[in-house]
Amino acid sequence: MYFSNKDLKLQVIYNISIYLTQLVLKFISFFNQKLKLGVLGRKDAFKILETHISQTDKTFWFHCASLGEYEQGLPVFKELRKTHPSHKIVLTFFSPSGYEIRKNTDIADVVVYLPLDTKANAKRFLDLVHPELTIFVKYDIWPNILIELKKRHLKAILISALFRENQIYFKFYGGFMKKALFAFQHIFTQDESSKDLLKTIDYNHVTVSGDTRFDRVFSQLEQNNHLGFIEQFKGDKLCFVAGSTWPEDEAFLVEYINSLETNTIKFIIAPHNIKATQIKKLKQSINKKTVLFTEKDLSTISSHQVLILDTIGLLTKVYSYANLAYVGGAVGKTGLHNTLEPAVFGIPIIIGENYNKFPEAKFMIKNQGMFTIKNTKELTQTIDNLRNSPKSIKTAGEANLNYIKNNRGAVIQILSFIRTYED
């Protein structure tokens, strides 16, 4: 691939920015606990790899930006773990929100933070890991690492990829970043438009496989989703579950809850931020009888109208008890959280108005299984319309479940390619 002077300048600017980022992160980490976790974790990454990976080990490397991408790649990871038991699997995260929650996963033999993308770190990391196969999930394209992979003729694929026209890969000055994409022997995209965009830069090793999250969430129906305390809390009442909420979501929800004159509906709120100060503030804002998960008493939990999950790891199962769901992130600019998790349980879903970057939300809205709101009045109207019409709940829920069923199969295509690739 030809590189213009602009591309070379971009490469230099990128490398300088990575070094500056390293310095800035170290400074800011003194004041930010989340960033501090990442800085300290990256500092230990090479030492952990040196301890657990030897030069004679056969390895696979899986990389995920954060928790959402991990969940997206999990069905593929599980199958490779099963079919290649003699391989050691290295799992890397960029974000503390992924690493801290899944650092003890049994999918991998070693879980570390991905070192910052300097040329020196790229060489050292690949010297230690020497992967037979590398899988990146969705995005988080780190050019120095990927270009070094290509130099070493190491196999790599990108799965569940989603591209937009305004990304740097498709700009006239994006040659350096384009080169990173060409390190992948194959890219599996979620949609046709992503494939078409890749064609504009002459990348043609593409399969439109869809989103692996459909396979992931559908498998949840085969799991044991029983939670006794939720059954006791819910009783025979209609249950509204609000998942991964932010303060801007909660402002609408709390106003609606406080306005109710009936106790015929139960609310479960699972905030994205479970810091004690945030949870305390949320609880104090609600004028209905409210209990925290960490303070629940099974003998009295049924007498409460609102349950706040000040813990992690339960939301997917909790959705199985919902009659209606709300998914946070689209009221503000933080980004819509996973709407497929509640959809698989055949329930209507409500979200905020900022969903344009999420194709699954667009489809479910068009398919009348999802509803979008921009204020408390619209939230109230939507909830009331649904809870007063069991038929509407059933129809919308079935639309969402059928959407999940009809979009499975990405994992089979990816694994089939990997098997062929290995032959």
Side-chain angles (χ1 to χ4, degrees), residues 22-247:
Q22 191 169 11
L23 295 174
V24 171
L25 287 176
K26 283 182 179 179
F27 176 74
I28 299 177
S29 68
F30 288 108
F31 313 99
N32 185 300
Q33 182 59 30
K34 184 176 179 181
L35 288 178
K36 185 176 182 179
L37 289 171
V39 169
L40 294 176
R42 264 176 263 280
K43 185 179 178 182
D44 294 334
F46 289 125
K47 188 185 300 182
I48 294 170
L49 291 169
E50 287 169 352
T51 302
H52 292 89
I53 302 294
S54 72
Q55 287 302 305
T56 57
D57 287 330
K58 294 180 178 180
T59 63
F60 288 156
W61 171 30
F62 305 150
H63 175 66
C64 309
S66 191
L67 184 60
E69 291 71 42
Y70 169 83
E71 296 294 339
Q72 211 160 15
L74 191 56
V76 176
F77 302 162
K78 279 185 174 180
E79 287 302 313
L80 289 175
R81 167 106 277 183
K82 192 188 305 179
T83 56
H84 295 76
S86 63
H87 281 65
K88 282 192 175 178
I89 292 176
V90 176
L91 171 65
T92 59
F93 288 98
F94 184 79
S95 166
S97 59
Y99 175 83
E100 295 300 327
I101 294 173
R102 290 292 179 257
K103 60 187 175 184
N104 296 315
T105 177
D106 57 6
I107 286 299
D109 298 281
V110 187
V111 184
V112 294
Y113 282 96
L114 183 70
L116 287 180
D117 188 36
T118 66
K119 286 186 175 182
N121 281 349
K123 290 176 181 178
R124 187 178 178 189
F125 179 84
L126 292 175
D127 284 344
L128 291 170
V129 178
H130 50 84
E132 289 185 10
L133 173 67
T134 295
I135 300 178
F136 274 44
V137 183
K138 194 175 181 179
Y139 52 70
D140 216 33
I141 309 300
W142 297 104
N144 283 323
I145 290 173
L146 287 166
I147 290 169
E148 186 64 27
L149 267 173
K150 188 173 179 63
K151 284 180 182 177
R152 299 182 185 210
H153 305 288
L154 295 172
K155 298 174 182 177
I157 62 173
L158 175 63
I159 65 173
S160 289
L162 198 60
F163 294 103
R164 297 187 303 277
E165 191 175 357
N166 62 353
Q167 290 175 305
I168 192 171
Y169 318 111
F170 312 110
K171 303 295 185 182
F172 71 92
Y173 52 80
F176 175 53
M177 295 301 292
K178 290 175 191 176
K179 189 175 181 182
L181 287 182
F182 278 79
F184 295 112
Q185 277 75 23
H186 206 88
I187 295 177
F188 293 87
T189 66
Q190 293 187 32
D191 57 22
E192 286 286 347
S193 63
S194 293
K195 180 179 180 179
D196 292 340
L197 281 170
L198 288 169
K199 283 183 178 180
T200 66
I201 59 171
D202 295 324
Y203 187 99
N204 298 305
H205 302 290
V206 187
T207 299
V208 181
S209 61
D211 191 339
T212 50
R213 287 184 302 164
F214 289 98
D215 300 86
R216 167 65 175 149
V217 297
F218 192 77
S219 69
Q220 191 64 38
L221 296 178
E222 301 169 358
Q223 309 300 316
N224 178 5
N225 295 304
H226 178 259
L227 293 170
F229 75 94
I230 296 292
E231 286 187 2
Q232 288 182 256
F233 169 75
K234 176 182 178 180
D236 59 358
K237 305 287 180 65
L238 185 140
C239 185
F240 182 98
V241 176
S244 302
T245 58
W246 293 82

